[in-house]
Amino acid sequence: MKVCASGQRQTLHVSKFGRRQTQSDMFTQTTRCAFVSGGLLRDAGRAAAGGGPCCPQARRHFSVSRCHLIKPPPRREPRETVDIPGLEMVTYGERMHYVPGLTKPVYPNWEADHKDPRFYKAPPAEQMPLYKDTPCFVFHQRTNALEGVRQAAWLTKTKVIPGFPSRLLAATESPDNQIPNVDERVQNAIKHARFWDTTEDRPRKEKYCNTLLLNLLHLCATLQPSHAAIGRRMFAEGFSLGVTWKRGEDQFQVRGRNGLLHSSMDPLPEVCGKDEVSDTADYVLETFYPISPTIDLKRVNVYKENVNCTGFRENYPYPHAHTLYFLESADVKCKLRPEQFRAKMAMFTFGNALARAYQLYGTEPQQVLDRPVTVQAVGTNGRIFQFLVFQLNTTDLTGDGGVKNQMWLDEDVELYDFAKVRPLIKKKEVKVPAGLAGYKPEVFQKFLAMYLHGAA
């Protein structure tokens, strides 16, 4: 026994290895094992990361419950209810309180005498009137297609042509289709979206992406006094699309809300002539075996057959879809990669064209349309643009033979390189100056060419 400086007595113990331990040392080790909490573990991690000792000083945390120190008990599995015919179970239902040894009563489900939507329970899918044994594969606005554009091209029986159509771009070379001081005004539109329309150091992408698109559309609309056809158009937002077609033995649908739709009273002219359309019959569609073309598409058994809805009534004065505008940041809960984003543009552009073709030529498959249906699409994330032109040449999509549809795709076109509120400095050197840098004027010319298509 030993007396310390504070006047307390400490008992010496000798372990089997010959080391002497005091009673206070044994209590410290016990404390370290018994009172380890989440705070101590975090302190240990910080100390180890900073180069200090791994084991922190022992402290007693009386606020820590027992559940932090031991493994929780396993969850009990519910007992199997055995129903023996002719045997009446003795329950504690009449006594109105729990009685050990008696069975728990089973009460019937309470049903109100009126319909309450808060407590509505849908019947099983097999009991619904629209239930079909044959499934339908649905492409909606949140579908993340694995193969991207290749998968969309196979589903729509389309030949993909990379690049921007030269016929559309040639229209912007005319002096009548030029905007005065166009480069300065486009740069001001970019600066307004990135710098002037917010008080934050860095605006959110959802805000400046939408602002930039509206600024560019407003700039293109300044040509309306010299182009009367621009006044025969209308913007629509929030409409729902639904169209059905068959590809092989499977049935497909495109359903959901598009982006911003620019519709017109007059249809868009075709991009290529009949000779080029007939040459597509020799094109072989690209496959991605062994991956199924229906991968990542929603499979449903409850659906309406032969759905064909453009989202507008029959007497709508602007029935022809002109251009669809998609924003990558429109849906915060669903962020698609660029390849899947382009597939979404292709599918909804095809859906609008097919729905219009069904209204013009009927739902019976047509091998070659007398006049192809053309619909355009523009997608952007506030800096990078995707340009797509889709020409529907046929509605006979069951087999791989015959005339194919055509799609021109110009992808990942940068409008500018950087738009910084503050300069980017690394190693005391300015890498990117503040303001707008790397503006590319040819990108807006493509945007303007798609806007003037059908009006110039």
Side-chain angles (χ1 to χ4, degrees), residues 77-150:
E77 297 181 359
R79 290 185 177 181
E80 228 180 282
T81 304
V82 181
D83 187 12
I84 303 177
L87 182 63
E88 183 180 358
M89 306 295 291
V90 180
T91 65
Y92 54 85
E94 297 180 356
R95 304 195 182 187
M96 305 298 292
H97 62 87
Y98 172 73
V99 177
L102 298 184
T103 307
K104 181 180 179 180
V106 179
Y107 299 104
N109 294 331
W110 178 79
E111 296 183 0
D113 54 353
H114 61 281
K115 291 184 179 180
D116 194 342
R118 298 176 300 172
F119 304 101
Y120 172 77
K121 291 183 179 180
E126 293 78 6
Q127 300 179 6
M128 294 185 178
L130 296 179
Y131 178 80
K132 311 306 187 287
D133 294 332
T134 304
C136 179
F137 299 94
V138 180
F139 192 101
H140 52 84
Q141 60 268 29
R142 291 188 177 182
T143 300
N144 189 2
L146 177 64
E147 292 297 322
V149 177
R150 291 197 305 167

Side-chain angles (χ1 to χ4, degrees), residues 142-205:
R142 291 188 177 182
T143 300
N144 189 2
L146 177 64
E147 292 297 322
V149 177
R150 291 197 305 167
Q151 185 175 352
W154 191 93
L155 293 174
T156 59
K157 193 181 176 181
T158 303
K159 176 184 177 181
V160 181
I161 305 173
F164 195 86
S166 58
R167 178 180 176 182
L168 273 67
L169 198 58
T172 59
E173 299 176 358
S174 174
D176 298 335
N177 301 331
Q178 298 291 334
I179 300 177
N181 302 326
V182 59
D183 293 337
E184 180 183 357
R185 298 172 71 175
V186 173
Q187 293 183 43
N188 289 337
I190 300 173
K191 293 176 183 178
H192 173 256
R194 298 299 301 263
F195 307 140
W196 305 337
D197 193 34
T198 180
T199 57
E200 303 174 357
D201 293 340
R202 185 176 182 180
R204 295 177 292 107
K205 181 180 290 188

Side-chain angles (χ1 to χ4, degrees), residues 247-302:
R247 191 77 173 90
E249 298 180 355
D250 298 326
Q251 189 171 5
F252 296 91
Q253 286 185 359
V254 172
R255 294 194 315 215
R257 293 187 176 183
N258 298 0
L260 181 65
L261 174 65
H262 200 192
S263 55
S264 176
M265 292 183 178
D266 309 313
L268 275 174
E270 57 270 14
V271 180
C272 61
K274 295 183 179 180
D275 296 337
E276 297 181 10
V277 171
S278 60
D279 292 342
T280 59
D282 301 332
Y283 178 76
V284 179
L285 295 174
E286 185 180 2
T287 60
F288 35 89
Y289 181 83
I291 299 177
S292 173
T294 61
I295 190 171
D296 292 327
L297 269 64
K298 186 177 181 181
R299 178 172 177 169
V300 296
N301 290 88
V302 180

